[in-house]
Amino acid sequence: MLTSIAGRSVIVTGASKGIGKGIARVFAKAGGKVLVVARDQGAAQKTADEIKAAGGTAAAFSADVRKWEDMERMAAAAERAHGGVDILCANAGIFPAAKLTEMTAEKWDEVLATNLKGTFLAVKACLPGMKKKGKGRIIITSSITGPVTGYPGWTHYGASKAGQLGFLRTACMELAPSNITINAVMPGNIRTEGLEGLGPEYEKKMTDSIPLRRLGTVEDIAYGALYFASDEAAYVTGQTLIIDGGQILPESLAALEEMGN
Ligand code: NAP
């Protein structure tokens, strides 16, 4: 386990459930002091309590990543609770499906506001604290969907996840002089509350299309994020890490069948 984040102040958005909760747990286990952020205060508190019960350090904070005032209050809360912001995991995201025929401007805006604008606002709010410390680490949760692959119903989602990578490639240059790195994990299909909402049939089809023949765990993603947050990754910025059990590689159904299991 990478332990160089011990004692560091970590903000994880969307940490009450799913991948964010996994990141919060793994970072706390590595010694980080974690601010668990979600809109539902009760759910965020439950995650923070679970981390504390396991011997970690955590506090809960209710905030909506779509709102600038909330993101400013979030950074201030990390300053008060844990003495600043060393690491931001901009993870909060939603993936409601809508094909183009049913897509509305409102549905489009909801996804872009949470996934893309929410990433920008969380990053911007944490910069003053990181600059004060003379260093920082930002890890974005993107996806394979959008940057690499497509899936009917997710034009807005794919655009938001590809947009995060466009954001990161310029942000890495603007932030490098302040000794702040920014990288992204790109999960495949990970077993989370959000994914379970897509139903058992989706899950079965996804499992069949993954060379490692299982959905990912939230820890699979968290360990990738932990690497980017560590001192060992000091020279890595503007990069992405696909964590998908090999899902993007089969060129066809025939390739998967040829694997023979
Ligand atoms: P999830 O289980 O549905 O959890 C989403 C989390 O985000 C919850 O804590 C939720 O809490 C929070 N959230 C949603 N909207 C928010 C907002 N406006 N402000 C603050 N927090 C908000 O989702 P997940 O599957 O773990 O996905 C997490 C991230 O991973 C997303 O960015 C998603 O795109 C990405 N991802 C997931 C998968 C996958 O297979 N699961 C694959 C690729 C990428 P509240 O509702 O209380 O706010």
Side-chain angles (χ1 to χ4, degrees):
M1 169 83 83
L2 295 160
T3 55
S4 56
I5 71 156
R8 307 252 163 97
S9 169
V10 184
I11 294 178
V12 185
T13 68
S16 63
K17 291 194 283 186
I19 291 173
K21 184 172 180 175
I23 293 174
R25 276 201 313 253
V26 165
F27 277 46
K29 214 168 159 192
K33 298 182 283 187
V34 181
L35 192 69
V36 173
V37 180
R39 289 167 300 178
D40 181 338
Q41 169 73 33
Q45 190 60 56
K46 193 162 168 277
T47 297
D49 289 345
E50 284 172 27
I51 290 171
K52 285 193 275 186
T57 303
F61 191 75
S62 169
D64 186 333
V65 296
R66 296 170 296 182
K67 298 182 182 156
W68 170 240
E69 317 77 68
D70 280 23
M71 293 298 92
E72 279 191 305
R73 287 195 304 110
M74 173 186 81
E79 179 88 42
R80 277 195 309 277
H82 300 141
V85 187
D86 297 297
I87 299 161
L88 165 69
C89 295
N91 165 83
I94 54 171
F95 35 94
K99 294 207 173 127
L100 278 177
T101 41
E102 302 108 43
M103 183 68 73
T104 59
E106 291 73 24
K107 286 180 184 171
W108 180 273
D109 285 347
E110 189 199 1
V111 168
L112 271 287
T114 305
N115 298 2
L116 185 54
K117 185 175 161 198
T119 297
F120 150 62
L121 293 178
V123 168
K124 185 172 168 67
C126 291
L127 293 183
M130 290 181 176
K131 286 184 179 169
K132 209 158 78 184
K133 292 205 168 211
K135 64 180 162 60
R137 290 277 194 279
I138 300 166
I139 300 99
I140 294 172
T141 307
S142 174
S143 177
I144 56 170
T145 311
V148 186
T149 62
Y151 199 98
W154 279 335
T155 52
H156 50 353
Y157 179 76
S160 73
K161 294 285 138 181
Q164 286 177 312
L165 300 190
F167 169 80
L168 120 83
R169 291 188 179 114
T170 287
C172 90
M173 286 187 272
E174 294 190 18
L175 301 181
S178 304
N179 196 24
I180 299 168
T181 67
I182 179 166
N183 295 285
V185 285
M186 297 167 67
N189 279 269
I190 309 305
R191 191 179 296 285
T192 64
E193 290 87 336
L195 191 102
E196 275 159 17
L198 300 174
E201 201 184 325
Y202 174 89
E203 191 178 316
K204 162 93 180 67
K205 283 188 177 155
M206 280 305 125
T207 305
D208 290 346
S209 69
I210 299 168
L212 284 177
R213 298 289 194 228
R214 67 169 176 87
L215 297 189
T217 66
V218 293
E219 287 79 13
D220 289 326
I221 306 307
Y223 290 129
L226 182 63
Y227 167 67
F228 283 135
S230 70
D231 286 353
E232 288 81 354
Y235 203 50
V236 180
T237 194
Q239 298 306 306
T240 57
L241 178 63
I242 292 174
I243 307 173
D244 72 342
Q247 188 179 341
I248 63 163
L249 292 177
E251 65 173 36
S252 62
L253 276 176
L256 282 161
E257 282 160 18
E258 194 62 29
M259 285 176 55
N261 61 348

